[in-house]
Amino acid sequence: MPPHAIAYAELYVADDREAAGFLTDSLGFVPVAVAGPATGTPDRRSTALRSGEVNLVVTQALGEGNAVARFVEAHGDSIADLAFSCADVRSAYDRAVLAGATALRAPTPALTGGDHPYATVSGFGDVRHTLVAAGEDLPLLPPDRVWALLPAAADAAGPRPALDHVAVCLEPGTLRKTAEFYEAAFDTPYYSSEYIEVGGQAMDSIVVRNADGGITFTLIEPDDTRLPGQINRFLESHNGPGVQHLAFLVDDIVGAVRSLGDRGVAFLRTPGTYYDLLTERVAGMADRIADLRDTNVLVDRDEWGYLLQIFTRSPYPRGTLFYEYIQRNGARGFGSSNIKALYEAVEREREVAGR
C-alpha cells in the first residue's frame, strides 16, 4: 500500500522559538505538543503546530554535532522531513527501498501511538520521508520521540488551510530521474510538466501526484544553459536541493491576505502594470481587479478554471523557505503563467520609468 498523504513537515531551524513564533503570531498556527529534554529527547527541542489540515513541526538542536545541527549548518532553516501517512508502513517501506530509496530506519514501533510502526527513507537531497501509520486515533507527530500534548487552544484568527502542494528545487539534470524515483518509490506518477522561459532564464518542471492528491510535488530544475535565476539562487543559498515553498490552499485568498497582512506577514509585491494587463490575459476578472490589486494577488487560468495565488517573503535568514497561499476555482495548474506575466509587467514598468 503506497503512502496517501503528507502527515507533517518538519523544519530544522537555528532558533525554534523565533520560527514557531512566526508560525503562531503571523500565520495563525496553534501549538499542539512539545518534545525535548523533559520528555526524554536530550539533543533537540520540538514544537508541533497545526492550522486547518496542515501539520508543521519546528525543531532546534540542543548542543552541537547532532543531525539537526549539521542539517541547519548545511542548509539553513529548512524542511528536513516530509512525512507520509501510510495504511501499511512496512509495505510502503519495502516498495521505497526496492525503488532505490536509502533505508534510514527500518520499521520500528513508534514511541507515540502504541505499537504502530514507523520507518524512514531518503528523498531528494538531504530531505527524508518518515513513513507513519495512518489512523484517526494517531496524532500526526514525529514518532521517534515522546510528546507532551498541550492543553487545547482555540484556533487563532486567520485562514484554516490545507496543503495544496510542495515546491522542490533540484540540481540541473536531475528532474526526470527524481520524478521517476517518486513514481516508483511512492506511487506519485507524472501529472503535468512545463518548460518556462523568462527573459534569458529558463526552468523545467514536472508535477508528480498520487491518486487522491494528498501528495503533490512540483519539481523544478534550472536550465543551466541559460542565465541563472531564482532556482539557481535557492540551490546556492540552500547548498543543494530542498523544499522551496509550501502552498496552503484556502477558500478566500483576498480575505486571508488581508487577515495575514494585519498580523504582519510580508508578501511579495506585484507591479501595478500586472493588473493593467490582467483583463487581456485572463477573461472575466474585471470586477475583481480592485481587490486583487489591493492585495497583490496573482491570477492564472487553465482549461478547467482559474486560480489565485500569492507568495510570502521568506522569514528565514538564508531565504531557504517561503509560503504560498492559493485559492482554486476549478483550475488544476500551478500558476506558471504568472512567472511570465510578472516578468513582462516588471519590464513594462521599467520602460515607463525610463521615459
Side-chain angles (χ1 to χ4, degrees):
M1 297 287 290
H4 63 83
I6 294 176
Y8 60 83
E10 182 168 12
L11 291 78
Y12 284 177
V13 298
D15 186 333
D16 62 324
R17 290 186 170 88
E18 181 178 347
F22 172 78
L23 293 172
T24 55
D25 299 341
S26 298
L27 298 191
F29 280 73
V30 175
V32 296
V34 293
T39 65
T41 308
D43 68 337
R44 67 192 64 187
R45 183 173 58 223
S46 302
T47 302
L49 307 103
R50 183 172 299 152
S51 180
E53 300 176 24
V54 180
N55 298 287
L56 300 180
V57 179
V58 173
T59 297
Q60 175 186 328
L62 299 178
E64 300 179 358
N66 62 37
V68 177
R70 291 194 298 271
F71 185 94
V72 173
E73 182 179 4
H75 304 297
D77 293 0
S78 184
I79 290 176
D81 192 346
L82 289 166
F84 295 155
S85 58
C86 311
D88 184 337
V89 167
R90 179 166 290 279
S91 173
Y93 169 84
D94 288 343
R95 172 178 177 151
V97 172
L98 185 63
T102 301
L104 302 176
R105 186 189 294 268
T108 305
L111 295 179
T112 53
D115 295 330
H116 298 282
Y118 74 102
T120 309
V121 297
S122 65
F124 51 85
D126 287 338
V127 174
R128 66 182 184 273
H129 299 298
T130 296
L131 309 174
V132 299
E136 294 182 1
D137 61 323
L138 301 175
L140 294 174
L141 300 169
D144 62 345
R145 68 208 79 163
V146 175
W147 292 86
L149 299 181
L150 298 174
D155 283 348
R160 307 263 66 81
L163 185 60
D164 186 84
H165 65 274
V166 177
V168 176
C169 293
L170 300 169
E171 298 280 5
T174 66
L175 176 64
R176 279 155 184 78
K177 181 179 179 180
T178 304
E180 291 166 359
F181 165 73
Y182 272 86
E183 178 172 11
F186 305 111
D187 197 21
T188 56
Y190 169 96
Y191 180 76
S192 64
S193 63
E194 188 163 8
Y195 181 80
I196 304 166
E197 296 181 88
V198 184
Q201 307 167 16
M203 65 193 79
D204 206 355
S205 67
I206 294 176
V207 177
V208 296
R209 189 172 189 254
N210 69 341
D212 59 9
I215 302 173
T216 303
F217 287 171
T218 303
L219 307 172
I220 311 164
E221 70 172 7
D223 184 340
D224 60 357
T225 68
R226 310 292 292 274
L227 294 175
Q230 60 170 297
I231 308 303
N232 303 84
R233 289 192 291 273
F234 173 90
L235 293 169
E236 181 178 359
S237 181
H238 189 267
N239 190 26
V243 175
Q244 183 202 48
H245 70 266
L246 302 178
F248 298 149
L249 180 68
V250 295
D251 294 328
D252 173 17
I253 194 169
V254 169
V257 170
R258 286 175 171 154
S259 172
L260 293 166
D262 290 342
R263 300 169 71 96
V265 177
F267 292 97
L268 297 182
R269 300 193 63 81
T270 306
T273 44
Y274 172 91
Y275 299 98
D276 297 338
L277 300 169
L278 188 57
T279 53
E280 300 174 15
R281 190 171 67 84
V282 182
M285 300 301 297
D287 60 338
R288 302 205 60 181
I289 287 180
D291 280 340
L292 300 176
R293 186 191 294 267
D294 181 58
T295 53
N296 291 282
V297 169
L298 307 172
V299 189
D300 200 12
R301 182 180 290 278
D302 59 25
E303 59 187 294
W304 299 281
Y306 69 92
L307 64 80
L308 308 173
Q309 64 186 153
I310 193 169
F311 302 93
T312 71
R313 296 187 182 278
S314 176
Y316 306 106
R318 284 164 55 174
T320 43
L321 177 68
F322 59 89
Y323 302 96
E324 173 185 357
Y325 285 83
I326 184 169
Q327 176 184 333
R328 293 188 181 275
N329 294 73
R332 302 179 188 177
F334 297 87
S336 59
S337 295
N338 277 321
I339 298 173
K340 294 180 181 179
L342 274 172
Y343 179 85
E344 291 166 358
V346 170
E347 289 303 305
R348 179 173 174 179
E349 195 168 70
R350 286 174 177 170
E351 291 174 3
V352 171
R355 288 176 185 161

